[in-house]
Amino acid sequence: MTGLPGYGLFAAMLAAAGLPIYLHAPAFYAAEYGLGLTALATVLFGLRLLDVVQDPALGWLSARLAAHRGLAVGVAVLILTSSMLGLFAIAPPIAPLAWFAVMLTLLFSSYSFLTITFYARGVSKAAAVGTNGHLRLAAWRETGALIGVSAAAVAPTVLVTSASPYAAFAFGFGALGLLAWAAMRAEWRAIGQSQSTGLAEFVVIVVDPVARRLLIIGLANAAPIAVSSSLFLFFVNDVLVAPAWAGALLLLFFVTAAFGAPFWTKVAARIGTRNALSIAMALSLAAFAPVPLLAIGDVLVFALICIVSGFAVGADVTLVPALFSRRMEIIAPSGAAGFGLWSFVTKFALALAAIMLLPALDAAGFVAGGASPPEALRLLSFLYAGLPCVLKLVALTLLWLGPLENTTQEA
């Protein structure tokens, strides 16, 4: 059995293949192959819908492959790293847009399978860790994920002296994938035969009132992050008019979140997960409340907001999955079906944000990087900060609507 650092390394590898792809892939294919942003966005949106739909099926598949999960994980890591190389380091042998779609399909599918399997493994691992096992595991896992996101987000910029920064990023990711696989290899062997038929676990989870509440809380809590993530660059570029600061501000947010994750797990261990989450949500609300008042040039104020809100998000990404993991240990020990549903819920929030927000901005006359009317910029500010505050209040209310004692004994 590996120690918890192995979970941090594997989480970093997965995170590097998540959000940073949305930052880098469209820009790379637009600049390198002259593809239009609308075409690239259409492909990304279609693949996001596929990703959402297939996650429960991948959870079922992960449960069915429990006895051979080590091999399955090895194959999935190989597909993930190969598709990253194909995306950034290999000249498309077919039409660039088609190649872009094929590589991302392979990348997203292997990423989803690995994420579900990884979090499912954490359910039984936490029990072996001991006191506050879910919190301690979540601290390593989510801190690693946030570090991975931060490093991958700036990697092409750091590697700018390379002949091909994006290719160097892809090869670096391949090396990270190999290290992460090696660090977790013994963990996959530790899994025995599945204790469930897979489909039976879905039924158990759906009919369990506590699990359902946690899934709803997960959706309500993921929605504010999805909204602000989708509009972050638009807000910085068009409201603050500070495009040169966008990368630094994004990195500041993620790095602060990485520092916040272990802090909030310690707070939760002392005062309870629900109390810690409530404090973090209130802090996030206080940080975001003044954002709609910001205007051109308010970069330093926004940087402070990024620090405070990022620190608060460290609780969201750590404690909420820990609560759900604890419940899965009780009702669905394999964890695969549960985290297939959890992945579906969180990704659905991202897809829903894209469907609702961008058309609303378009209808208001918003033009990214162009001359948008004042009412469109006001709408952008409200959607970026005001709407997440409303959604965060909903999540906070749901957190206190019913008892969670059964989920907080260890988490």
Side-chain angles (χ1 to χ4, degrees), residues 3 92 116 120 146 171 188 202 255 260 265 270 292 328 331 337 372:
I116 293 166
L146 290 165
F171 281 106
W188 312 124
F202 282 112
V255 169
T265 58
R270 295 177 71 90
M328 291 304 98
I331 67 170
S372 299

Side-chain angles (χ1 to χ4, degrees), residues 34 52 65 119 144 148 218 233 244 386 394:
V52 168
L65 293 175
Y119 275 80
L233 292 178
V394 172

